[in-house]
PDB file of all heavy atoms in Angstrom:
ATOM      1  N   SER A   3      -9.237 -16.704 -17.683  1.00  0.00           N
ATOM      2  CA  SER A   3      -8.167 -16.664 -18.683  1.00  0.00           C
ATOM      3  C   SER A   3      -8.250 -15.457 -19.612  1.00  0.00           C
ATOM      4  O   SER A   3      -7.252 -15.027 -20.157  1.00  0.00           O
ATOM      5  CB  SER A   3      -8.181 -17.951 -19.489  1.00  0.00           C
ATOM      6  OG  SER A   3      -9.447 -18.073 -20.098  1.00  0.00           O
ATOM      7  N   ARG A  80     -12.411  -1.041 -30.461  1.00  0.00           N
ATOM      8  CA  ARG A  80     -12.166  -1.309 -31.886  1.00  0.00           C
ATOM      9  C   ARG A  80     -11.411  -2.616 -32.090  1.00  0.00           C
ATOM     10  O   ARG A  80     -11.479  -3.219 -33.161  1.00  0.00           O
ATOM     11  CB  ARG A  80     -11.402  -0.142 -32.523  1.00  0.00           C
ATOM     12  CG  ARG A  80     -12.271   1.082 -32.680  1.00  0.00           C
ATOM     13  CD  ARG A  80     -11.483   2.266 -33.220  1.00  0.00           C
ATOM     14  NE  ARG A  80     -12.235   3.484 -32.989  1.00  0.00           N
ATOM     15  CZ  ARG A  80     -13.189   3.941 -33.806  1.00  0.00           C
ATOM     16  NH1 ARG A  80     -13.479   3.310 -34.899  1.00  0.00           N
ATOM     17  NH2 ARG A  80     -13.836   5.053 -33.507  1.00  0.00           N
ATOM     18  N   ALA A  96     -15.301  15.330  -9.894  1.00  0.00           N
ATOM     19  CA  ALA A  96     -16.424  14.863  -9.072  1.00  0.00           C
ATOM     20  C   ALA A  96     -16.935  15.949  -8.126  1.00  0.00           C
ATOM     21  O   ALA A  96     -18.076  15.888  -7.658  1.00  0.00           O
ATOM     22  CB  ALA A  96     -16.016  13.623  -8.278  1.00  0.00           C
ATOM     23  N   ASP A 136     -24.234   7.044  -8.758  1.00  0.00           N
ATOM     24  CA  ASP A 136     -25.054   6.062  -9.471  1.00  0.00           C
ATOM     25  C   ASP A 136     -26.121   6.716 -10.329  1.00  0.00           C
ATOM     26  O   ASP A 136     -26.471   6.215 -11.388  1.00  0.00           O
ATOM     27  CB  ASP A 136     -25.748   5.137  -8.467  1.00  0.00           C
ATOM     28  CG  ASP A 136     -24.883   3.929  -8.154  1.00  0.00           C
ATOM     29  OD1 ASP A 136     -24.291   3.378  -9.092  1.00  0.00           O
ATOM     30  OD2 ASP A 136     -24.803   3.566  -6.975  1.00  0.00           O
ATOM     31  N   LEU A 143     -21.935   0.922 -11.794  1.00  0.00           N
ATOM     32  CA  LEU A 143     -20.722   1.299 -11.056  1.00  0.00           C
ATOM     33  C   LEU A 143     -20.441   0.304  -9.946  1.00  0.00           C
ATOM     34  O   LEU A 143     -21.367  -0.227  -9.330  1.00  0.00           O
ATOM     35  CB  LEU A 143     -20.898   2.678 -10.420  1.00  0.00           C
ATOM     36  CG  LEU A 143     -21.153   3.858 -11.349  1.00  0.00           C
ATOM     37  CD1 LEU A 143     -21.345   5.130 -10.523  1.00  0.00           C
ATOM     38  CD2 LEU A 143     -19.999   4.030 -12.326  1.00  0.00           C
ATOM     39  N   GLU A 154      -7.881   0.653   8.777  1.00  0.00           N
ATOM     40  CA  GLU A 154      -7.077  -0.479   9.279  1.00  0.00           C
ATOM     41  C   GLU A 154      -5.684   0.002   9.656  1.00  0.00           C
ATOM     42  O   GLU A 154      -5.128  -0.368  10.688  1.00  0.00           O
ATOM     43  CB  GLU A 154      -6.953  -1.578   8.207  1.00  0.00           C
ATOM     44  CG  GLU A 154      -8.208  -2.405   8.010  1.00  0.00           C
ATOM     45  CD  GLU A 154      -8.653  -3.126   9.279  1.00  0.00           C
ATOM     46  OE1 GLU A 154      -7.787  -3.636  10.006  1.00  0.00           O
ATOM     47  OE2 GLU A 154      -9.877  -3.133   9.547  1.00  0.00           O
ATOM     48  N   GLY A 206     -16.760  27.798  13.042  1.00  0.00           N
ATOM     49  CA  GLY A 206     -16.906  27.152  14.347  1.00  0.00           C
ATOM     50  C   GLY A 206     -16.654  25.671  14.292  1.00  0.00           C
ATOM     51  O   GLY A 206     -16.383  25.099  13.223  1.00  0.00           O
ATOM     52  N   GLY A 226      -5.123  21.533   0.457  1.00  0.00           N
ATOM     53  CA  GLY A 226      -4.884  21.373   1.896  1.00  0.00           C
ATOM     54  C   GLY A 226      -5.590  22.441   2.716  1.00  0.00           C
ATOM     55  O   GLY A 226      -5.557  22.418   3.950  1.00  0.00           O
ATOM     56  N   GLY A 227      -6.277  23.374   2.038  1.00  0.00           N
ATOM     57  CA  GLY A 227      -6.931  24.481   2.746  1.00  0.00           C
ATOM     58  C   GLY A 227      -7.988  24.022   3.737  1.00  0.00           C
ATOM     59  O   GLY A 227      -8.095  24.565   4.847  1.00  0.00           O
ATOM     60  N   ALA A 232      -9.281  23.259   9.474  1.00  0.00           N
ATOM     61  CA  ALA A 232      -9.755  22.401  10.573  1.00  0.00           C
ATOM     62  C   ALA A 232      -8.704  22.306  11.672  1.00  0.00           C
ATOM     63  O   ALA A 232      -9.028  22.371  12.866  1.00  0.00           O
ATOM     64  CB  ALA A 232     -10.084  21.006  10.024  1.00  0.00           C
ATOM     65  N   ARG A 269       0.660  12.803  11.658  1.00  0.00           N
ATOM     66  CA  ARG A 269       0.653  11.764  10.644  1.00  0.00           C
ATOM     67  C   ARG A 269      -0.411  12.070   9.603  1.00  0.00           C
ATOM     68  O   ARG A 269      -1.497  12.549   9.951  1.00  0.00           O
ATOM     69  CB  ARG A 269       0.326  10.448  11.334  1.00  0.00           C
ATOM     70  CG  ARG A 269       0.698   9.258  10.552  1.00  0.00           C
ATOM     71  CD  ARG A 269       0.495   7.990  11.314  1.00  0.00           C
ATOM     72  NE  ARG A 269       0.806   6.903  10.404  1.00  0.00           N
ATOM     73  CZ  ARG A 269       0.283   5.694  10.465  1.00  0.00           C
ATOM     74  NH1 ARG A 269      -0.552   5.390  11.431  1.00  0.00           N
ATOM     75  NH2 ARG A 269       0.616   4.780   9.598  1.00  0.00           N
TER      76      ARG A 269
END
Side-chain angles (χ1 to χ4, degrees):
S3 59
R80 288 176 196 275
D136 270 318
L143 299 178
E154 285 301 320
R269 199 174 176 208

